[in-house]
Every structure is written in C-alpha cells, then in structure tokens.
Amino acid sequence: MNPLITFAIASITAALPADTIPLGAQKLIQCYPSQNLKYADNQIIFPDGEGIIYDDGRKKTFIELLDDCDIEDMFSMQYDTVSMPPKYLNDCGRGRSEALYKKMYGNSAAAVQKNLVKVSWFGQQIPMTKVNGVADTLKAIAQELANKPHLAKYFAQSSSFYWRQVRGAKRQSAHSYGIAIDINVANSTYWLWANKGKSETDTIKYANKIPMEIVKVFEKHGFIWGGRWYHYDTMHFEYRPELL
C-alpha cells in the first residue's frame, strides 16, 4: 500500500471516536498492542498497510461461523466463565479469522517456527510463539502453577505447536500458530470421545476432569479454556485475551 494511504488510514483511525469503532476491533487493538493495529473502512489495518476485512456482512450458520470465520464472527459468542456445563452451541473461541492469525503469527509452519521459543513446563521444553508475548505469558503461568504441587499430575506430557487442521475440518488449528497448549490427555475429555457419532449440532453430554483451579490461572493470564466450549476440549488452553 502507498505510504501516504497508510498514513491517512492511521490518521483516520486515531481521529475516530471510540464508539464508531466496532467493539471487537477495539478489543483487538487493546489486547495486541505490539501489533500497532488500526481500524478503518471495515478493516483491521497492520503497520505495513495490509488490511483484513472485519465484517464480511454475511449471515452464517453455526458451522460457517467456525469454518468461514471473519473477525467480527470471532465475537459473535460470549466467552462464558459462569455457566457450567456450557450452553448449547456456545463455542466462543473455536472460530478464528485465519487471515488475522496467519498475519500475526505466520502463514506457514516455517514462518511460525521462526518465532517459536522453548518454555520450561514441568520437565518439558514446550515450543510457543514469542509473538504478542505468548511464550512469556506461558512462563508466568508455569511459575504460578509450580506453587500448586497438588496439581502436578495434570501437566505431564503436554503438547503445543503442531501445524495442522482441526480434526474433521478444513480450518487451521490454534496449535498451528504456537498459541495453544494441550495438557495431560489422560486427565482430559473431548466431546467426540464421549459422544461418538455425534455431529456439530447434536446435543451432547458434558464431561470434565480438569480442576477449575488450573483454569482460573490460565484465564487470568489471557488463555481461554476448551472446557468452556459446548464442544468441549478440556485439555486445550489458547491465548485469546481479546475474548476475556
């Protein structure tokens, strides 16, 4: 983009009253300060001038909100820290704007790997992205959880970066970007394991073994928990401060 146009967009954003910027855009700008994001003309603008559509204007089904998610769609559900089990089809955080996350963290495995650093995690070295301070945040979580030895069994054999698509879907997993960690599988539950043969819109039974004491530490530091999803994935924690 022409530098003059980039400057003009930045100036317009700076001049826009807060109430004219969509709430979701405001949250992104506030939660990812190192990205220096701006909002103008229905786009989230990066410092290099590249713009990503905020709202494509389409009314979507539940499945489309997951598989064809724009930025506005990411905020179409509320991350509910109160209702347990989660309400029907409330999967806040499962939908991600791939254009946004590939721009922030990398659009290929190789691009993401350039920003991965190792985090000491209960006897393991877990690769996480340093972008947006994710690795440093996980370090702070590990330090806090280390003071809770009664929870130690939940952290063995954890995993993080893995460039792949979501099981049974054509959208990229959060693990692809180095922003997610799965803790001990043996003490976790996943909606498809407990509800074999069920589809994304069927009613399902909830199950969880992860103590809320762990969840609260992650959430305090900007990680959402897959156990808050109707389609639960209780081993899964993902850096998404804009939803908290």
Side-chain angles (χ1 to χ4, degrees):
M1 182 178 288
N2 185 301
L4 292 176
I5 297 176
T6 303
F7 176 78
I9 289 174
S11 299
I12 291 170
T13 305
L16 286 174
D19 60 2
T20 68
I21 301 176
L23 182 58
Q26 292 183 47
K27 290 178 178 179
L28 288 176
I29 292 168
Q30 293 167 3
C31 291
Y32 298 102
S34 64
Q35 296 290 330
N36 294 311
L37 303 175
K38 306 293 183 183
Y39 175 85
D41 194 25
N42 192 35
Q43 295 184 80
I44 293 293
I45 310 293
F46 282 79
D48 64 2
E50 181 176 347
I52 296 175
I53 295 295
Y54 179 79
D55 181 5
D56 62 17
R58 294 169 47 213
K59 186 175 181 179
K60 299 174 184 177
T61 64
F62 173 72
I63 301 299
E64 289 171 336
L65 287 172
L66 301 179
D67 290 341
D68 191 15
C69 184
D70 63 21
I71 297 174
E72 185 267 343
D73 293 331
M74 297 195 310
F75 300 96
S76 62
M77 305 175 194
Q78 181 180 2
Y79 186 75
D80 188 350
T81 60
V82 177
S83 302
M84 293 297 287
K87 295 178 181 178
Y88 177 64
L89 299 189
N90 189 358
D91 282 356
C92 180
R94 282 185 80 203
R96 305 170 197 90
S97 165
E98 290 204 359
L100 176 68
Y101 280 84
K102 286 181 177 179
K103 178 65 177 175
M104 287 201 293
Y105 298 109
N107 60 7
S108 68
V112 174
Q113 286 173 322
K114 290 179 181 178
N115 289 307
L116 295 180
V117 296
K118 295 294 182 66
V119 176
S120 294
W121 180 264
F122 302 94
Q124 292 182 253
Q125 293 295 309
I126 297 289
M128 298 288 281
T129 185
K130 62 183 180 182
V131 177
N132 294 325
V134 177
D136 286 341
T137 303
L138 188 65
K139 289 178 186 177
I141 292 170
Q143 290 170 359
E144 188 166 342
L145 291 174
N147 294 321
K148 302 176 184 291
H150 59 289
L151 299 174
K153 73 174 185 178
Y154 294 98
F155 309 128
Q157 298 179 326
S158 298
S159 60
S160 55
F161 170 72
Y162 182 20
W163 184 269
R164 65 172 176 84
Q165 292 185 327
V166 174
R167 299 180 187 91
K170 293 183 178 180
R171 62 185 184 275
Q172 211 67 22
S173 164
H175 290 278
S176 300
Y177 309 119
I179 63 172
I181 180 171
D182 284 349
I183 63 175
N184 191 294
V185 174
N187 291 289
S188 302
T189 51
Y190 179 61
W191 73 278
L192 277 176
W193 297 345
N195 298 270
K196 296 186 184 301
K198 293 286 189 176
S199 75
E200 289 273 9
T201 54
D202 288 336
T203 56
I204 58 176
K205 294 181 180 179
Y206 185 78
N208 173 48
K209 302 176 185 177
I210 303 298
M212 294 305 295
E213 190 174 1
I214 294 174
V215 175
K216 290 177 181 178
V217 172
F218 271 95
E219 290 179 338
K220 184 177 76 172
H221 290 277
F223 277 72
I224 63 170
W225 176 45
R228 301 279 192 203
W229 298 338
Y230 183 73
H231 296 91
Y232 54 91
D233 184 357
T234 67
M235 71 191 83
H236 184 85
F237 293 88
E238 175 180 339
Y239 188 69
R240 300 289 294 281
E242 71 276 15
L243 300 179
L244 287 159

